[in-house]
Amino acid sequence: MQILEFVLQVLLGITSLLLTLLILLHKGRGGGLSDMFGGGMTSALGSSGLAERNLNRFTVVLALVWFVAIVALGLITKFQAL
């Protein structure tokens, strides 16, 4: 059980970092932190529609993996205490 917990913790760490990077890669919709870092000036250089959709899909799938890892770690922790 400790091996599974370790694997889930590593998976959670990796997915957390990747999820942060993917969210930062999204094109800003205006008026937020993306404009503060130059997102407003580079709107013409943004990604195409297909690339943005693929980035959205990958972000959602990675968020689901992150969520499942958190729930699994919570269940492992709960049932180890019993």
Side-chain angles (χ1 to χ4, degrees), residues 10-70:
V10 169
L11 181 68
L12 183 64
I14 291 171
T15 55
S16 295
L17 290 174
L18 286 175
L19 199 56
T20 302
L21 291 174
L22 285 177
I23 289 171
L24 289 174
L25 280 176
H26 278 85
K27 185 170 35 172
R29 303 287 184 229
L33 286 176
S34 62
D35 286 342
M36 187 170 97
F37 295 113
M41 293 186 296
T42 60
S43 62
L45 300 174
S47 58
S48 67
L50 180 64
E52 187 72 23
R53 277 184 297 210
N54 288 337
L55 183 63
N56 287 339
R57 289 180 189 142
F58 193 61
T59 304
V60 168
V61 169
L62 197 62
L64 290 174
V65 171
W66 180 82
F67 180 76
V68 168
I70 286 182

